[in-house]
Amino acid sequence: MPIPQKTPKVALITGASSGIGLLATLTLARNGYTVIATMRDLARATHLREKAEAEGLADRIDLHALDVTDSAQVTEAANYVKATHGRLDVLVNNAGYALAGFSEETTLAELRHQFETNFFGAVQTTTAMLPLMRAQTRQTGGAKILMISSISGLTAFPLLGSYNASKFALEGWSEALSMELRSLGIHVSLVEPGAFDTDIWSRNATITSATQSPGSPNYKRSQAFLAQIGNGKMSKADPQQIADLILRIAQSPNPKLRYLIGKDARSAKLLRTLLPMRLFQSILLKASGIDS
Ligand SMILES: NC(=O)c1ccc[n+]([C@@H]2O[C@H](COP(=O)([O-])OP(=O)(O)OC[C@H]3O[C@@H](n4cnc5c(N)ncnc54)[C@H](OP(=O)(O)O)[C@@H]3O)[C@@H](O)[C@H]2O)c1
């Protein structure tokens, strides 16, 4: 079916109930996109709904239930996008959380769940949406897939091994995908933020059960780590910067593969390149508080 030229571009965002996903939804809608704002629990859409109504954007935002770990829901969402919107110009794989805990004590179930969300969730959402994106690119002039990765996908931090592994996996998979899709006019970009002020640090902060147990041989070091990240000294940037970057990538005719964002992310990447690894790791260890 031909796509009328004047139809607004359509974006789908996962994890749109809070943080980066919520802000990106509003930012894309303000700039003329129709946004399919997906979230695992539609009861959590109140905040987004209120903001959209206040700005007169409600008719550009289509709320849809999607837990990225649920394969049946992912397939249903892809069918819904095709049947209801007939096109998908921008896919933002944003849903995710950070699991903290000593690698030694993280259960396989905890590690698998981290991967189910941050890695397999993005993989299955992408592969489900790709047939529609492929079918339309000749008519629409291209499509974009954005992966919200992290500086944690480029360098590891103590107690974030599971999160690091899931984002490193996302980096590798996306890099290969970007080459495979290039000739089809579908661009893949990785967004790699440092620390930004969202619910990932509060409501959604997830700590392995062993790390919280006084019986753990790492208990004292865990407490030091939790005190260090909870001491309010860590500066976190405004996540609207990431929403603005997502818009820029969506609008770019030829986006890059990687976008590092945040002063802390830039300095971590630079220091990792310049310093001997032992010295770089000593700096990270000191910041984590676990051996002080
Ligand atoms: N903020 C940072 O400092 C930072 C830095 C680097 C990378 N990132 C990445 O940015 C992305 C967004 O995080 P955020 O900072 O905006 O944190 P956030 O406010 O906690 O948002 C995370 C979103 O993901 C959703 N989510 C979690 N599991 C899901 C699932 N199985 N299916 C669907 N949605 C799910 C959450 O839904 P609920 O509302 O239902 O919990 C929430 O909407 C994540 O991929 C994160 O790794 C964040």
Side-chain angles (χ1 to χ4, degrees), residues 94-239:
N94 165 73
Y97 73 99
L99 178 66
F102 281 88
S103 307
E104 170 193 7
E105 298 177 327
T106 303
T107 65
L108 270 186
E110 288 168 328
L111 179 57
R112 284 198 171 111
H113 192 263
Q114 176 76 110
F115 267 77
E116 286 301 337
T117 307
N118 292 9
F119 179 62
F120 292 112
V123 168
Q124 68 177 348
T125 305
T126 301
T127 52
M129 301 298 163
L130 263 173
L132 176 61
M133 298 177 104
R134 282 178 82 106
Q136 75 186 44
T137 47
R138 232 173 283 136
Q139 294 178 61
T140 57
K144 316 268 163 55
I145 298 171
L146 280 71
M147 305 291 192
I148 310 305
S149 176
S150 171
I151 180 63
S152 290
L154 301 176
T155 191
F157 297 92
L159 277 89
L160 285 181
S162 306
Y163 184 61
N164 288 134
S166 69
K167 295 290 188 182
F168 270 62
L170 186 63
E171 291 273 335
W173 191 78
S174 304
E175 197 172 305
L177 185 73
S178 73
M179 292 183 271
E180 293 159 9
L181 297 180
R182 190 193 285 187
S183 62
L184 305 178
I186 303 175
H187 300 271
V188 178
S189 295
L190 285 150
V191 175
E192 297 155 336
F196 283 79
D197 195 5
T198 70
D199 287 1
I200 204 168
W201 300 99
S202 49
R203 178 180 63 89
N204 281 334
T206 312
I207 299 159
T208 59
S209 52
T211 287
Q212 299 174 76
S213 154
S216 157
N218 291 311
Y219 186 65
K220 252 178 86 179
R221 298 204 296 159
S222 308
Q223 293 306 299
F225 171 77
L226 295 176
Q228 188 80 352
I229 57 168
N231 70 5
K233 282 195 196 143
M234 193 173 130
S235 71
K236 298 183 209 101
D238 178 358

Side-chain angles (χ1 to χ4, degrees), residues 17-18 20 40 44 67-68 94 163 167 194 196 198 204:
S17 57
S18 67
I20 297 163
R40 56 184 167 177
R44 294 199 18 81
D67 180 331
V68 298
N94 165 73
Y163 184 61
K167 295 290 188 182
F196 283 79
T198 70
N204 281 334

